Amino acid sequence: MEKQEQFPSPDDITFITAIVLSSDDAIEGLTLDGKIIIWNKGSEKLYGYSADEMIGKSVIKVYPKEVEAELPSILSQVKNDEHVKPHITQRKRKDGTLIKVAISASSIKNNKGNIIGVSIISRPFAGQELITTYEKKHIEDVELLKKNEKLFRSLAENIKEVFWQMSPELDKMLYISPAYEEIWGQSIELLYSNPSLWMESVVEEDKEKIELYMAKLKNSESAFTDYRIVRPDGKIKDIFIRGFQVKDEIGKLMSIMGIAADMTEFSQLKSQAHLNDKLTAIGVLTAGIVHEINNPLTWLLGNLEYIKKNATSINHGKLEELLIESIQGVKRIRDIVHNLKGFTRADENEKTTIDVNKILDSALTFVSSDVKLRAKVEKKYALNLPLITLNSGKLHQVFLNLIINALQAMTLDDIKNNKIQIKTSQVDKQLRIDIKDTGIGIPGENLSKIFTPFFTTKPAGIGTGLGLSICSEIVNSFGGKITVESLPGKGTTFSVYLPLGDNIKTESVEKKPEEILNPITARKRILLVDDEQNILNSLKRSLDDYHDVTIALSGQRAIHLLKENVEQYDMVITDLSMAGITGADLYYFVSDNYPALKERIIFMTGGAFSTDLKKFVSSINNPFIYKPFELNELLKLIEYIGA
């Protein structure tokens, strides 16, 4: 059974105009001062003038001097809403010949009942019989117009969507259906009297978007967009709007019509499904992370227990071996946490300069346990790829989703031949990333649907049908595109194209501390601040060989020590996120009271920021070091700041 159209097509809406323009009868549409705005085929045939010659001119042009007084009389009757009876009169053709015509005139009204123009229907006169026939035909035409207008209004006024019609300049509302009051929460009459209310209801952040939409609609046949409005009661609605131009037979723009639909419920459903999809991804991540962290934790814990048990008897060589293994385990856990931090930033708008190959490796880390069970991974990375600037977390989400899809497309029946191939390359001013699997493939009839929200070919309970839709949205937001090729039984290849932009870099411009150091051997007097006693103890033990360290277990204690004698400290190293007085609070205190010291504050952070701390981090130029870090990293940073 074919799916029925939800909205009326443009052809249905312009049906009345089509009748008028194609009629064999001469039909002229006039303004109330007699200027021609409609000149149909019948008029061209009867009078010999083309529409181009007559549109915008006064209809008096076809009135012989003897009957010119008829025009003011007809216009006056129409303005007073009086019926102009059919009558016989004379008109003048383009070649100068005079002809007898039977005419009838009536008013043109808008949907509020106001008279806005004049309609005149003319036919060549051939006797009384023709008049009778003409009157009959005129009545039939009027009835047909009324019938179609009634049908249209019945449709427009009973759908949940808002049907609207505006002037070509989009500055005057000609018609708005009753659904407007339900969605916008304000009266139609108010909008007719003040058309600017349409734009005033748009949320501030979306006004530029709707202005671009309106500009496009004036210069192209159709346009669509989505935006948000604020109702008088404060409720926010998500709106999808589509508009199209309505032109007469000669291509003149008559009006702009369209449909506006309330998409709030759909958007909420999509947001919830988006969340569910991300929770599913987090579930996959958790399983992978647990596996990847448990392995190094196992040998790390075993080594430490062995050292504790044999502390008095273990030889130096064995101890060094155990410690090297343990440090490797800790670094591996640190790298996993660092990769996870990239994924958690997918909901932020922060852009960084990144290496696509490294993001792919990071995504693979999270599914390594599943990969080992299902397939082999073949990496074909291009060397020296240009770096790109975008949100790394969102790109991480795209790659992770595509890799998970590839894994799920391959069965466990033929693990030996299951393969995922990941290839990177540069194509002109784009980076191309291909993720190819040897799975079951996608049927041809589904290829055009796979990026549609909520469409899925997976069994019930697996996924939300939003994964690929979200991937497409993210890649599109980068200015790129994502394509798919697939053969049932052979596998699928997703290709992601990312624009490089104008400033192409092949290496990071971010300098590491060791690259900009002027080594300083002098000991520094350091105030070390953290709300974790074990961190303070560990760092103090490590730093005491190089610098003079005073510890403070809180921001409050640090302020007290600074007030006692700020001159005894060359710099401050502080945790950023502490209970009570945070590292940011401590910075503001130093900035207000000891401004010379504020440039020599180093922040330590685990990477989890509140909204306020994110704003703070973006507002200062002080260095940050991310936990866990190696002592050498901190020492080099101290030398750099103390230089």
Side-chain angles (χ1 to χ4, degrees):
M1 183 175 180
E2 291 188 0
K3 186 178 178 181
Q4 293 186 353
E5 294 290 338
Q6 187 175 0
F7 304 136
S9 71
D11 291 334
D12 293 330
I13 296 170
T14 58
F15 187 59
I16 299 171
T17 303
I19 292 174
V20 171
L21 294 176
S22 61
S23 174
D24 288 333
D25 292 334
I27 301 177
E28 300 100 49
L30 313 178
T31 62
L32 292 176
D33 60 357
K35 287 185 179 178
I36 299 168
I37 56 175
I38 294 176
W39 187 264
N40 74 345
K41 281 185 176 180
S43 299
E44 290 180 335
K45 183 177 179 181
L46 181 61
Y47 297 113
Y49 290 101
S50 68
D52 287 339
E53 292 175 295
M54 296 301 287
I55 296 292
K57 305 290 188 349
S58 174
V59 76
I60 200 74
K61 190 170 183 177
V62 296
Y63 281 59
K65 287 189 177 181
E66 299 82 11
V67 296
E68 283 183 351
E70 283 183 16
L71 181 58
S73 174
I74 291 172
L75 296 177
S76 176
Q77 291 180 70
V78 170
K79 287 178 184 177
N80 295 322
D81 205 14
E82 297 175 7
H83 178 61
V84 180
K85 293 182 179 180
H87 60 279
I88 308 300
T89 184
Q90 277 190 325
R91 292 291 182 265
K92 182 173 64 175
R93 289 174 49 82
K94 182 178 180 179
D95 60 12
T97 59
L98 299 178
I99 55 172
K100 282 190 175 184
V101 294
I103 73 161
S104 179
S106 59
S107 61
I108 300 174
K109 299 180 180 179
N110 62 15
N111 61 325
K112 295 176 66 176
N114 297 327
I115 298 171
I116 59 173
V118 182
S119 171
I120 296 179
I121 300 177
S122 309
R123 276 191 164 192
F125 175 67
Q128 184 60 39
E129 182 180 346
L130 182 59
I131 282 285
T132 304
T133 304
Y134 164 75
E135 289 177 340
K136 181 180 178 181
K137 181 68 169 61
H138 173 70
I139 293 171
E140 289 174 352
D141 287 345
V142 170
E143 289 301 317
L144 180 60
L145 289 170
K146 288 181 178 179
K147 181 179 179 181
N148 280 287
E149 182 179 5
K150 184 178 180 181
L151 179 64
F152 163 72
R153 287 188 179 275
S154 175
L155 174 64
E157 295 178 6
N158 285 282
I159 59 175
K160 293 181 180 179
E161 293 75 22
V162 176
F163 174 76
W164 52 270
Q165 181 181 20
M166 297 186 76
S167 63
E169 296 77 23
L170 294 173
D171 59 355
K172 185 177 181 182
M173 186 63 67
L174 304 178
Y175 176 79
I176 189 87
S177 66
Y180 172 83
E181 296 187 346
E182 177 70 24
I183 297 174
W184 265 257
Q186 55 191 17
S187 72
I188 289 175
E189 293 301 320
L190 200 59
L191 183 64
Y192 279 129
S193 61
N194 184 12
S196 64
L197 287 176
W198 183 283
M199 179 60 77
E200 290 174 11
S201 65
V202 179
V203 300
E204 196 63 35
E205 296 85 351
D206 291 351
K207 284 188 176 178
E208 184 177 354
K209 179 194 286 190
I210 205 70
E211 285 171 355
L212 290 172
Y213 159 77
M214 294 174 74
K216 183 178 180 182
L217 196 51
K218 289 180 181 179
N219 298 293
S220 58
E221 291 188 358
S222 65
F224 64 89
T225 192
D226 57 84
Y227 64 103
R228 293 163 297 162
I229 62 166
V230 181
R231 290 162 45 103
D233 59 11
K235 291 181 181 178
I236 295 178
K237 292 280 188 180
D238 293 320
I239 304 297
F240 175 81
I241 188 168
R242 182 186 293 275
F244 50 87
Q245 295 182 347
V246 178
K247 299 179 179 179
D248 63 17
E249 196 174 56
I250 62 172
K252 181 182 179 181
L253 181 60
M254 305 297 292
S255 67
I256 296 177
M257 296 181 176
I259 289 286
D262 181 0
M263 303 298 289
T264 308
E265 188 174 334
F266 176 82
S267 297
Q268 291 170 346
L269 180 63
K270 185 176 177 182
S271 296
Q272 182 60 46
H274 191 161
L275 176 61
N276 292 342
D277 198 79
K278 185 156 189 179
L279 290 175
T280 301
I282 289 173
V284 174
L285 285 179
T286 302
I289 291 167
V290 168
H291 179 273
E292 290 301 308
I293 289 180
N294 278 344
N295 282 339
L297 278 178
T298 299
W299 80 68
L300 180 60
L301 185 59
N303 287 353
L304 292 175
E305 287 179 343
Y306 182 88
I307 292 171
K308 180 182 178 183
K309 182 179 178 181
N310 302 283
T312 57
S313 60
I314 191 169
N315 64 58
H316 178 77
K318 186 66 174 178
L319 178 61
E320 185 177 15
E321 178 187 341
L322 291 170
L323 290 176
I324 289 173
E325 287 179 0
S326 299
I327 290 172
Q328 288 174 345
V330 171
K331 287 182 177 180
R332 183 164 162 183
I333 294 170
R334 179 193 62 184
D335 291 342
I336 292 169
V337 173
H338 178 77
N339 289 336
L340 179 62
K341 184 171 63 179
F343 178 77
T344 60
R345 288 176 178 168
D347 291 330
E348 301 175 10
N349 292 319
E350 178 187 357
K351 293 183 179 181
T352 55
T353 301
I354 60 170
D355 182 336
V356 164
N357 292 343
K358 289 181 179 179
I359 299 294
L360 284 164
D361 282 339
S362 174
L364 282 168
T365 300
F366 292 130
V367 291
S368 60
S369 57
D370 279 348
V371 169
K372 290 174 185 176
L373 294 173
R374 285 181 174 267
K376 296 178 181 177
V377 174
E378 180 182 291
K379 295 190 288 187
K380 293 186 175 181
Y381 293 171
L383 300 177
N384 300 317
L385 276 180
L387 305 179
I388 54 174
T389 302
L390 41 73
N391 183 290
S392 62
K394 289 182 178 179
L395 185 60
H396 197 287
Q397 185 178 348
V398 170
F399 291 158
L400 184 64
N401 229 320
L402 294 177
I403 293 170
I404 290 173
N405 270 5
L407 286 170
Q408 292 176 344
M410 294 181 290
T411 67
L412 296 175
D413 300 332
D414 192 17
I415 297 176
K416 186 181 294 184
N417 293 315
N418 286 350
K419 185 171 71 175
I420 297 176
Q421 184 185 88
I422 303 177
K423 180 181 178 182
T424 60
S425 59
Q426 181 178 349
V427 181
D428 297 326
K429 289 190 175 182
Q430 296 183 102
L431 293 187
R432 174 174 172 170
I433 302 94
D434 296 317
I435 298 178
K436 180 180 181 180
D437 65 65
T438 56
I440 59 175
I442 303 170
E445 63 270 19
N446 291 336
L447 279 176
S448 62
K449 307 173 188 175
I450 59 171
F451 296 114
T452 303
F454 304 110
F455 177 81
T456 181
T457 58
K458 297 176 183 176
I462 300 180
T464 61
L466 268 184
L468 289 175
S469 169
I470 293 168
C471 288
S472 180
E473 286 182 12
I474 291 173
V475 174
N476 288 339
S477 74
F478 294 154
K481 67 177 180 178
I482 181 169
T483 62
V484 59
E485 294 180 1
S486 186
L487 288 173
K490 298 293 184 182
T492 301
T493 301
F494 284 95
S495 299
V496 176
Y497 295 85
L498 300 171
L500 288 173
D502 296 326
N503 300 316
I504 299 176
K505 305 181 183 114
T506 55
E507 58 181 21
S508 176
V509 296
E510 182 182 354
K511 293 184 179 179
K512 297 179 181 179
E514 60 265 30
E515 296 174 326
I516 50 180
L517 287 179
N518 294 315
I520 304 296
T521 56
R523 295 177 70 88
K524 299 297 178 185
R525 299 168 299 169
I526 299 171
L527 177 59
L528 182 64
V529 190
D530 203 300
D531 57 358
E532 286 279 355
Q533 186 69 57
N534 288 340
I535 290 178
L536 288 176
N537 294 341
S538 174
L539 288 176
K540 180 170 171 52
R541 279 194 297 267
S542 300
L543 290 172
D544 274 346
D545 289 339
Y546 307 92
H547 301 287
D548 300 321
V549 180
T550 302
I551 61 173
L553 190 55
S554 66
Q556 183 64 48
R557 175 63 178 162
I559 289 175
H560 175 75
L561 292 173
L562 289 171
K563 284 182 176 179
E564 276 189 344
N565 188 3
V566 69
E567 297 298 330
Q568 72 177 27
Y569 303 111
D570 297 314
M571 68 177 61
V572 177
I573 301 175
T574 179
D575 186 38
L576 183 60
S577 301
M578 297 185 290
I581 293 177
T582 67
D585 297 328
L586 182 57
Y587 173 87
Y588 291 132
F589 170 79
V590 171
S591 181
D592 290 341
N593 296 278
Y594 315 112
L597 186 59
K598 73 173 184 177
E599 303 294 337
R600 287 177 279 129
I601 297 178
I602 298 172
F603 291 98
M604 302 180 293
T605 176
F609 300 146
S610 66
T611 302
D612 289 340
L613 286 181
K614 285 178 186 176
K615 292 179 181 177
F616 169 74
V617 168
S618 64
S619 68
I620 63 170
N621 294 317
N622 292 62
F624 286 78
I625 187 167
Y626 287 88
K627 301 174 183 176
F629 48 80
E630 295 181 50
L631 176 62
N632 193 46
E633 294 178 61
L634 183 57
L635 288 174
K636 288 176 179 178
L637 198 55
I638 291 170
E639 289 181 357
Y640 172 58
I641 293 299

